[in-house]
């Protein structure tokens, strides 16, 4: 996990060093600035060492090719075997990108399985690409006749650029061949075929989940897990714990945060005790929120009220985890795959519309949830991994009919969570992993279950000097002011910030 900058016909080493300095939090273990010989290309990199920690420094210069990459290629061992180990000079998973490119296959980038963003240059060509969901960020800006690429918007702050764009998820830019969409989200299924076996579907989902977690646990350092006490993070932790114990690796380290006595802290303790994880927790206060609000907004690169609220507990979880591990699993993506949000309940009688909405929502995650996860964990030099967004798991989940994700609840069912049950098939698939009370627990948003919303009122009152409740408009105005205070060019940041208002469609 890293941060990088690439200047293609756009600047020199001094500018690259200045820009990468603003991303140093993404990679405290190593860094470097490299020019491609006899070409107007400069790349800078800051590294958080996860795979190949001894010899995986970047930028990677081999012959006439120069590469910077961020993320993890989880099938790198398989690709090495296919490409030939003799080609490789390092143990870094990122080096597979370079050798796949050199094979010049038409869809070489589609063979990369993981979360990634990269820029690769030859003396006369630049190629930039991003993973299917946009888990890892990548921006590009015009600078004169050239381009500047960077992992975060803040790298461009105070820099003279003409225009900034996001490289879309699942897209590739090639200066020789132009833009390509190399990944398209599979369309979600609506209603089951007559032959569908619900029990077997749940069993298969469980197997695919296990494979995803196993793949996303690959690392040369210890991987822990966020544990909010909710269904999604609890499933991830339970599966990872079983896999670690089966390999004799010792208990999984899990991390939970919340206001003292909050539902999330209590539920996480119960889950940790049930699965046998090595659990840590931190109880934050309203003063903690007041002290860190500006820091959260600066790193989040957004002033959206809902995004900021959900980012706050993430910050404390990341700080807690980073004391002991460099990478954690998260439950991000389950709500979009399996209909987990409250607004999805309105679709219970419209399975085709629900399937379409889930497909659409998966395509917007990069600028909302995934922006929060990436920016806030990387602000603390921690890698967050999202096994629910594994490509194979997405393919399978999208083939499951929407009627099995959100279904009306039998009023005589003792496990009922309400008139409708969200994530029904996911709950069925993992019912044996966790206590029944948790498997069928009604979902709470992270900022609500952790007590963030309650504590935030105290923090906002402290900052604003208010004696009464702070309404949403005043809260949003404060977040915007705090963002503007931290950036030389705040309008650039605000122009690219996703919002929850835009992310959810009405039925």
């Amino acid at each position: 996990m890293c941060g990088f900058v690439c200047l293609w016909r756009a600047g020199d080493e001094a500018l690259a060093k200045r820009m990468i300095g603003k991303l140093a939090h993404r990679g405290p273990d190593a860094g470097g600035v490299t020019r491609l010989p006899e070409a107007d290309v400069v790349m800078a990199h800051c590294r958080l060492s996860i795979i190949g920690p001894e010899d995986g420094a970047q930028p990677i210069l081999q012959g006439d090719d120069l590469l910077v990459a961020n993320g993890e290629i989880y099938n790198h061992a398989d690709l090495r075997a296919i490409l030939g180990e003799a080609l490789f000079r390092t143990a870094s998973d990122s080096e597979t990108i370079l050798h796949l490119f050199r094979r010049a296959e038409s869809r070489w980038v589609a063979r990369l399985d993981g979360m990634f963003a990269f820029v690769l240059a030859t003396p006369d060509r630049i190629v930039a690409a991003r993973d299917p969901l946009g888990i890892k960020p990548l921006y590009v800006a015009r600078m004169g006749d050239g381009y500047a690429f960077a992992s975060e918007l803040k790298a461009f702050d105070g820099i003279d650029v003409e225009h900034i764009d996001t490289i879309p998820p699942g897209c590739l830019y090639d200066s020789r061949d132009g833009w390509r969409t190399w990944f398209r989200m599979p369309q979600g299924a609506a209603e089951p075929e007559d032959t569908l076996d619900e029990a077997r579907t749940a069993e298969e989902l469980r197997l695919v989940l296990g494979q995803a977690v196993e793949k996303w646990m690959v690392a040369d350092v210890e991987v822990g897990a966020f544990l909010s006490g909710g269904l999604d993070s609890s499933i991830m932790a339970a599966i990872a714990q079983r896999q670690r114990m089966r390999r004799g690796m010792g208990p999984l380290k899990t991390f939970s945060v919340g206001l003292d006595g909050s539902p999330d802290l209590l539920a996480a303790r119960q889950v940790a005790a049930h699965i046998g994880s090595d659990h840590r927790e931190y109880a934050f206060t309203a003063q903690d929120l007041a002290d860190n609000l500006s820091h959260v907004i600066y790193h989040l690169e957004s002033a959206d009220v809902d995004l900021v609220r959900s980012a706050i507990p993430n910050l404390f979880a990341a700080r807690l985890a980073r004391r002991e591990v460099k990478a954690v699993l998260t439950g991000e993506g389950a709500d979009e795959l399996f209909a987990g949000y409250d607004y999805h309940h309105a679709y219970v009688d419209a399975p085709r519309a629900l399937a379409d909405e889930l497909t659409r929502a998966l395509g917007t995650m990069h600028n909302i949830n995934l922006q929060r996860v990436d920016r806030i964990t990387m602000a603390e030099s921690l890698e967050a991994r999202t096994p629910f967004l594994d490509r194979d798991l997405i393919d399978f989940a999208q083939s499951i009919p929407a009627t099995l994700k959100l279904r009306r609840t039998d009023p005589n069912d003792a496990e009922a969570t309400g008139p409708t049950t969200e994530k029904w098939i996911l709950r069925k698939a993992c019912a044996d992993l966790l206590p029944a009370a948790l498997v069928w627990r009604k979902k709470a948003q992270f900022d609500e279950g952790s007590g963030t919303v309650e504590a935030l009122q105290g923090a906002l009152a402290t900052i604003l000097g208010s004696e009464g409740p702070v309404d949403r408009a005043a809260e949003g105005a404060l977040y915007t002011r705090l963002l503007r205070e931290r950036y030389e060019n705040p309008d650039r940041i605000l122009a690219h910030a996703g919002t929850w208002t835009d992310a959810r469609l009405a039925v």
Side-chain angles (χ1 to χ4, degrees):
M1 194 62 67
C2 315
F4 66 73
V5 167
C6 173
L7 303 176
W8 188 63
R9 302 174 182 173
D12 57 15
E13 289 87 341
L15 178 58
K17 186 174 181 179
R18 175 184 170 191
M19 293 175 71
I20 200 66
K22 298 177 183 179
L23 306 182
H25 52 278
R26 296 187 69 92
D29 294 336
V33 179
T34 304
R35 175 177 287 275
L36 186 61
E38 301 181 9
D40 192 5
V41 181
V42 178
M43 294 186 181
H45 192 267
C46 54
R47 186 176 188 229
L48 180 66
S49 303
I50 303 292
I51 293 177
E54 301 302 324
D55 62 357
Q58 296 189 41
I60 298 175
L61 175 62
Q62 292 188 11
D64 291 332
D65 300 329
L66 187 62
L67 169 75
V68 281
N70 170 30
E72 305 290 348
I73 309 300
Y74 293 119
N75 64 334
H76 74 100
D78 292 338
L79 291 174
R80 281 174 176 268
I82 294 169
L83 294 166
E85 189 66 39
L87 293 175
F88 289 81
R89 300 180 187 175
T90 75
S92 170
D93 57 307
S94 297
E95 192 181 346
T96 56
I97 299 169
L98 185 63
H99 298 302
L100 276 176
F101 167 76
R102 287 173 168 175
R103 287 182 64 143
E105 296 177 357
S106 60
R107 282 183 48 77
W108 63 273
V109 70
R111 300 184 68 177
L112 299 170
D113 187 3
M115 54 178 188
F116 57 84
F118 67 83
V119 181
L120 191 156
T122 70
D124 58 359
R125 185 180 178 189
I126 194 86
V127 177
R130 196 173 178 195
D131 67 64
L133 275 292
I135 300 170
K136 293 294 99 189
L138 182 55
Y139 297 94
V140 58
R142 289 288 310 196
M143 293 184 68
D145 294 329
Y147 292 105
F149 300 84
S151 297
E152 295 185 15
L153 287 166
K154 58 179 61 67
F156 301 110
D157 193 40
I159 305 299
D160 185 14
V161 297
E162 300 171 24
H163 185 69
I164 301 174
D165 278 318
T166 302
I167 301 287
C171 285
L172 177 148
Y173 172 74
D174 187 330
S175 60
R176 186 187 69 184
D177 301 323
W179 287 93
R180 283 174 47 205
T181 299
W182 64 270
F183 175 86
R184 295 188 184 279
M185 185 65 61
Q187 182 63 45
E191 299 189 52
E193 299 177 358
D194 293 339
T195 58
L196 182 75
D197 187 315
E198 293 182 359
R200 289 186 177 179
T201 299
E203 290 173 2
E204 190 67 19
L205 174 58
R206 173 67 169 275
L207 292 175
V208 178
L209 276 166
Q211 290 174 343
V213 173
E214 184 175 20
K215 183 193 304 181
W216 289 60
M217 286 282 284
V218 171
D220 292 331
V221 298
E222 185 175 5
V223 178
F226 284 165
L227 182 58
S228 70
L231 179 68
D232 309 334
S233 66
S234 297
I235 287 173
M236 287 293 105
I239 294 174
Q241 167 71 354
R242 287 192 176 192
Q243 292 180 357
R244 284 185 61 88
M245 298 306 290
R246 191 161 57 241
R247 292 180 174 83
M249 299 172 66
L252 177 76
K253 290 179 180 176
T254 53
F255 306 93
S256 179
V257 300
L259 202 63
D260 190 28
S262 64
D264 276 4
L265 277 184
L266 298 177
R269 287 177 202 164
Q270 295 172 357
V271 173
H274 182 83
I275 67 175
S277 67
D278 183 5
H279 192 57
R280 312 283 194 279
E281 63 180 44
Y282 175 75
F284 56 71
T285 66
Q287 188 61 51
D288 287 333
L289 270 61
D291 292 343
N292 287 279
L293 193 54
S294 177
H295 178 78
V296 166
I297 291 169
Y298 171 74
H299 281 285
L300 182 62
E301 300 183 333
S302 174
D304 179 71
V305 170
D306 293 311
L307 207 55
V308 172
R309 287 181 175 185
S310 64
I312 290 168
N314 267 53
L315 175 73
F316 297 115
R319 283 183 178 170
L320 179 64
R322 188 59 180 89
R323 296 173 189 170
E324 304 200 35
V325 298
K326 282 189 172 183
V328 290
L329 303 181
T330 80
E332 208 65 56
D335 291 323
E336 287 78 5
L337 280 177
F338 298 103
Y341 291 118
D342 283 344
Y343 84 102
H344 289 147
H345 288 262
Y347 290 88
V348 68
D349 294 319
R352 178 70 268 160
L354 175 59
D356 291 345
E357 168 58 11
L358 296 179
T359 302
R360 185 205 65 81
L362 284 164
T364 68
M365 290 187 71
H366 66 284
N367 209 27
I368 312 165
N369 293 35
L370 294 178
Q371 178 170 319
R372 178 200 71 226
V373 170
D374 174 84
R375 301 303 191 281
I376 298 304
T377 55
M378 291 308 295
E380 302 302 313
S381 304
L382 179 74
E383 175 179 288
R385 296 184 170 190
T386 55
F388 275 113
L389 299 180
D390 178 76
R391 280 170 65 180
D392 292 335
L393 179 51
I394 289 172
D395 285 345
F396 187 76
Q398 286 291 84
S399 76
I400 297 175
T403 53
L404 297 190
K405 298 178 180 181
L406 178 72
R407 66 165 34 183
R408 290 198 178 278
T409 303
D410 183 342
N412 298 315
D413 186 349
E415 296 176 336
T417 62
T420 56
T421 298
E422 71 276 2
K423 295 188 283 195
W424 183 85
I425 190 67
L426 180 62
R427 297 174 193 267
K428 285 291 185 183
C430 301
D432 66 311
L433 287 173
L434 301 161
L438 183 134
V439 171
W440 299 100
R441 176 192 180 198
K442 185 69 177 174
K443 176 182 174 61
Q445 300 294 346
F446 190 20
D447 55 350
E448 297 170 350
S450 64
T452 301
V453 174
E454 177 185 346
L456 191 56
Q457 274 297 317
L460 295 173
T462 297
I463 296 171
L464 294 172
S466 171
E467 296 184 0
V470 178
D471 63 27
R472 189 178 178 88
E475 182 182 351
L478 171 62
Y479 295 167
T480 300
R481 175 170 67 80
L482 291 175
L483 186 146
R484 288 187 173 279
E485 290 173 353
R486 297 296 299 271
Y487 286 97
E488 293 182 48
N489 307 116
D491 289 335
R492 288 180 184 169
I493 309 300
L494 292 168
H496 289 83
T499 68
W500 273 110
T501 302
D502 296 335
R504 297 180 180 181
L505 298 181
V507 180

